[in-house]
Amino acid sequence: MLSDATRRSLERNSREYASRLTGPALGYLVEERRITKEALAEFRLGYTADSPAVGDPPHRISFPYLTGSGVVQIRFRSLDPDPGDYKYLGVKGVPTTLYNTRVLTESHQKIYVTEGETDCITGWICGLPTVGIPGAKAWKAGYWRAFRYREVVFVADAGKAGSELAQAVSRDIQDCRVVEAPEDDLNYHYCTYGIKSTRELVGLRD
């Protein structure tokens, strides 16, 4: 359980990073990933710039994990095209959890699950109540409890890692249907083919 001091720090830092979202970081999100202005605000996306809080990495996009009780983690994405094993980092000493769990407090009978924060935000842009798993190896068996009494659609990334994550999720969640992105991931499909095609990919016909 997070201390009050940690919660205050996460809240304060996430707002500060959101105020710094300009330049290449903003361009990456808006132009390359087609994240809308509304989504930037809804998910409080930010940028650490060259003077982050102590322990946080510089020059990274920040994804705060917003919940009804405040921020419970911040993950940081590198803009380096070759980041090695450290494409994503979290706040040290703070446990990893599911992203955008706010939708689980709402009355959605069907929940969409993706790998990664950007795909989760993409789902939201497309009108899908979506929860993100922070990485292909980040699924925990106990997460199934968050999805009890709901229908789950897991949108898997193309490739071996996506397939393995899909197997883990569908093994633990009883009412789970898997949809595989035909190319890369959900955000790539959205950027390439648009909202209507992305909704059709998961079985929706508007």
Side-chain angles (χ1 to χ4, degrees):
M1 186 173 179
L2 299 180
S3 68
D4 289 343
T6 298
R7 287 181 178 274
R8 288 194 297 270
S9 175
L10 291 169
E11 182 72 27
R12 180 177 62 252
N13 293 343
S14 72
R15 292 188 181 279
E16 174 60 27
Y17 298 152
S19 73
R20 301 179 182 181
L21 185 59
T22 58
L26 180 61
Y28 168 80
L29 290 169
V30 172
E31 296 169 16
E32 293 189 36
R33 295 305 190 113
R34 292 185 60 190
I35 304 301
T36 63
K37 178 176 67 175
E38 293 78 13
L40 293 175
E42 176 73 16
F43 291 91
R44 202 188 294 169
L45 303 188
Y47 183 56
T48 60
D50 57 2
S51 56
V54 174
D56 290 351
H59 305 294
R60 285 180 176 247
I61 292 171
S62 61
F63 293 87
Y65 279 51
L66 308 176
T67 73
S69 59
V71 183
V72 297
Q73 172 62 285
I74 304 175
R75 289 239 297 166
F76 306 100
R77 187 196 190 283
S78 174
L79 289 172
D80 187 335
D82 186 21
D85 295 332
Y86 302 100
K87 182 176 180 180
Y88 282 92
L89 297 170
V91 175
K92 295 177 181 179
V94 177
T96 301
T97 186
L98 296 169
Y99 183 66
N100 197 36
T101 55
R102 294 175 296 176
V103 301
L104 298 174
T105 67
E106 301 167 357
S107 59
H108 302 290
Q109 185 56 38
K110 181 181 291 186
I111 296 291
Y112 298 84
V113 180
T114 65
E115 177 195 335
E117 296 87 354
T118 303
D119 279 0
C120 178
I121 295 169
T122 298
W124 183 87
I125 292 170
C126 295
L128 311 174
T130 307
V131 172
I133 302 169
K137 299 185 183 298
W139 176 255
K140 300 176 184 178
Y143 282 161
W144 69 268
R145 294 181 179 87
F147 303 98
R148 280 183 293 188
Y149 315 120
R150 301 181 196 258
E151 178 185 352
V152 171
V153 178
F154 179 69
V155 187
D157 290 0
K160 181 181 178 182
S163 177
E164 290 176 348
L165 180 57
Q167 291 176 21
V169 173
S170 59
R171 179 189 62 230
D172 293 334
I173 298 178
Q174 184 176 9
D175 192 3
C176 179
R177 177 170 63 91
V178 174
V179 174
E180 183 175 328
E183 306 168 80
D184 202 346
D185 58 20
L186 190 68
N187 181 260
Y188 177 88
H189 192 92
Y190 156 72
C191 290
T192 306
Y193 304 106
I195 290 177
K196 184 175 184 292
S197 179
T198 303
R199 290 175 61 83
E200 290 174 349
L201 175 66
V202 300
L204 298 177
R205 299 291 183 268
D206 296 330

